[in-house]
């Protein structure tokens, strides 16, 4: 079992920054992913990071978001800069046992409870 707890969400103006954290406990995990879900929309992939540190991002956040992990703290981070109103949503941390990142939610077995990010215009 893996337990994931996200933190760091909040309200920010467009152009601002927020940093999300996801603390993991339990068995070792190969790949972590970040997903988000806006009101009335389907959940979408945002970013992922593998055990080796390789990252992948959805095109809309490339150059603005950075995913990283601290192995000693079992924590994954999502630094979000130059935020836009379209980035608003509930952000979820997820864990996959695969060694390669996937953009599909079905590849992730464990999920956190989510943290709200609201970007005002």
């Amino acid at each position: 079992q893996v337990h994931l707890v996200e933190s760091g969400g909040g309200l920010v103006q467009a152009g601002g920054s927020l940093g999300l954290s996801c603390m993991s406990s339990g068995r070792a995990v190969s790949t972590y992913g970040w997903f988000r879900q806006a009101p009335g929309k389907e959940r979408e992939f945002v970013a992922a990071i593998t055990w080796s540190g390789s990252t992948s991002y959805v095109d809309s956040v490339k150059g603005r978001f950075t995913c990283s992990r601290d192995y000693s703290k079992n924590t994954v981070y999502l630094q979000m800069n130059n935020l836009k109103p379209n980035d608003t949503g509930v952000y979820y941390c997820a864990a996959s046992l695969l060694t390669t990142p996937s953009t599909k939610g079905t590849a992730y077995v464990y999920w956190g409870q989510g943290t709200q990010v609201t970007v005002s215009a």
Side-chain angles (χ1 to χ4, degrees):
Q1 282 288 342
V2 175
H3 186 54
L4 303 172
V5 179
E6 302 100 332
S7 61
L11 172 64
V12 65
Q13 288 187 331
S17 299
L18 278 177
L20 304 183
S21 299
C22 173
M23 183 174 292
S24 175
S25 60
R27 64 175 295 177
V29 172
S30 295
T31 299
Y32 290 95
W34 288 96
F35 290 76
R36 66 187 179 191
Q37 187 166 22
K41 295 186 177 181
E42 293 187 353
R43 182 180 62 194
E44 69 168 345
F45 170 80
V46 177
I49 185 167
T50 69
W51 178 260
S52 64
S54 297
T55 54
S56 62
Y57 302 91
V58 66
D59 285 346
S60 62
V61 308
K62 285 181 180 178
R64 301 188 297 121
F65 290 14
T66 302
C67 188
S68 62
R69 63 192 292 177
D70 185 328
Y71 299 91
S72 66
K73 297 180 179 180
N74 289 329
T75 300
V76 179
Y77 304 96
L78 185 68
Q79 179 62 39
M80 306 182 292
N81 298 327
N82 190 21
L83 283 160
K84 304 176 180 180
N86 283 346
D87 294 319
T88 294
V90 178
Y91 282 68
Y92 297 91
C93 175
S96 169
L97 302 182
L98 302 177
T99 57
T100 55
S102 174
T103 62
K104 299 183 184 297
T106 52
Y108 296 83
V109 179
Y110 305 100
W111 293 80
Q113 82 287 353
T115 185
Q116 177 71 45
V117 171
T118 303
V119 184
S120 62

